[in-house]
Amino acid sequence: MSQAITETLYTQWGQTFTVDRVLFEHQTAHQHLVIFENQQWGTVMVLDGVVQTTERDEFIYHEMMTHVPLLSHPKPQKVLIVGGGDGGILREVLKHPGIETVTQVEIDQAVIDMCRQHLPNHSQGAFADPRVKVVIGDGVDFVAECTEQFDVIISDSTDPIGPGESLFTSRFYQGVAKCLTEDGIFVAQNGVSFMQLDEVTTTHRRLTPHFQDVTFYSAAVPTYVGGIMTFAWAAHNPALRQAELDPQRLHTLTTRYHNAGIHRAAFALPQYILDQLEVDS
Ligand code: SAM
């Protein structure tokens, strides 16, 4: 392993990390997985050349992908996580009172195993919680075959290259729509909009036939380079997104990024996104 890793998400431009120590590197059955130490960002995980998570800034992404849908739902009890092998989403979901079960469908057991070992602060023991059921498989097949319904579904996938591609398809979104209760909410990582605007418009076009309320929200995640990170939002009930946040539920959460103001402001989108969604609709 060289003493530096340059992200390969974009061919003409990318961020480079110095590699202080490699903790794990392996070509799994699904993707190339490397976990290494970097003085600036702590322990970093990269899958197929794309930065997935770093110890230093993971809280921003995991809080926004979890607390925005869960606090918007009147009473979240059953949650489905697709992907999320590092355990950060699972850790945040379990902070919410009233959660009865969390099902996590992750395609690559090695990611869970290596993150539990080398990024223990991500899951913080969450995988051992008796309410958690881990299923190793492709999320698109799980939702297609699943007969259960969930209050919140969170797709914490890689980018739409390699195994993650199936989680950006109409087939996946159709399965998600079937597996959500009537007050159910779906959110998904949807890339850095300035660099991957086509991902936003494609997701919008593919979600719209299955949900009444489809939009995006955002957060600035330093190591998802190129500007704001967008999250897809889809719900059958359009009222949920405008619902007043319960101060008591907000108060029970210890956060470092999410708060009521950020929650509301996150849904304000730059004009270039709104214009493109307009053109595309
Ligand atoms: N926060 C990261 C991001 O925004 O790019 C994602 C982190 S998480 C590590 C991504 C996870 O999605 C990985 O563990 C990967 O194995 C999993 N994954 C990719 N494709 C999948 C699929 N089709 N079904 C289930 N899990 C999948």
Side-chain angles (χ1 to χ4, degrees):
M1 165 64 70
S2 76
Q3 293 314 304
I5 287 184
T6 297
E7 190 173 36
T8 57
L9 185 56
Y10 309 112
T11 49
Q12 288 88 18
W13 173 71
Q15 61 183 328
T16 297
F17 294 81
T18 52
V19 176
D20 300 334
R21 188 159 69 110
V22 176
L23 300 173
F24 181 80
E25 181 180 8
H26 185 59
Q27 181 63 42
T28 77
H30 299 281
Q31 50 211 336
H32 181 259
L33 165 58
V34 57
I35 301 176
F36 62 92
E37 287 176 341
N38 169 280
Q39 197 172 2
Q40 173 78 44
W41 296 104
T43 303
V44 181
M45 173 171 64
V46 170
L47 289 174
D48 285 343
V50 181
V51 170
Q52 298 299 306
T53 191
T54 85
E55 268 184 316
R56 189 123 180 263
D57 69 355
E58 58 88 6
F59 69 93
I60 301 170
Y61 173 88
H62 291 127
E63 288 182 17
M64 289 302 282
M65 275 273 274
T66 306
H67 304 324
V68 171
L70 265 77
L71 289 170
S72 302
H73 189 283
K75 195 179 179 195
Q77 295 173 307
K78 292 184 68 175
V79 175
L80 171 64
I81 300 169
V82 177
D86 53 68
I89 299 282
L90 182 59
R91 175 196 76 213
E92 293 301 311
V93 167
L94 292 175
K95 284 182 179 176
H96 287 255
I99 296 295
E100 291 177 354
T101 63
V102 187
T103 302
Q104 179 150 0
V105 185
E106 164 56 57
I107 201 164
D108 198 337
Q109 179 75 56
V111 176
I112 293 179
D113 295 345
M114 289 302 106
C115 287
R116 291 180 79 168
Q117 183 176 342
H118 298 296
L119 281 162
N121 293 329
H122 272 57
S123 54
Q124 293 179 11
F127 285 111
D129 187 299
R131 293 168 292 173
V132 175
K133 180 174 90 172
V134 174
V135 174
I136 299 301
D138 191 324
V140 69
D141 298 331
F142 180 86
V143 293
E145 293 150 18
C146 182
T147 54
E148 277 186 88
Q149 287 204 312
F150 300 90
D151 299 311
V152 173
I153 299 178
I154 300 172
S155 178
D156 177 24
S157 76
T158 44
D159 284 87
I161 41 179
E165 198 164 358
S166 65
L167 303 182
F168 292 82
T169 60
S170 296
R171 177 166 175 252
F172 177 62
Y173 298 140
Q174 188 176 14
V176 167
K178 168 180 70 78
C179 294
L180 273 182
T181 56
E182 64 180 26
D183 275 345
I185 297 169
F186 168 67
V187 297
Q189 84 87 351
N190 214 114
V192 171
S193 56
F194 191 81
M195 303 300 296
Q196 301 166 299
L197 189 56
D198 58 330
E199 274 183 41
V200 173
T201 51
T202 303
T203 297
H204 187 262
R205 189 168 55 247
R206 291 179 179 169
L207 278 172
T208 304
H210 306 291
F211 294 93
Q212 274 211 48
D213 184 32
V214 176
T215 189
F216 296 85
Y217 63 103
S218 75
V221 183
T223 51
Y224 297 157
V225 290
I228 54 170
M229 177 74 177
T230 42
F231 309 101
W233 162 287
H236 298 310
N237 177 354
L240 293 172
R241 184 155 52 92
Q242 314 297 345
E244 278 302 306
L245 298 180
D246 178 341
Q248 187 53 39
R249 290 174 63 186
L250 272 165
H251 186 69
T252 59
L253 291 175
T254 307
T255 60
R256 296 170 58 202
Y257 186 86
H258 180 277
N259 59 42
I262 282 278
H263 185 117
R264 285 278 164 255
F267 285 95
L269 294 173
Q271 197 56 41
Y272 75 87
I273 296 179
L274 297 177
D275 289 347
Q276 193 58 47
L277 292 179
E278 180 71 28
V279 161
D280 200 70
S281 58

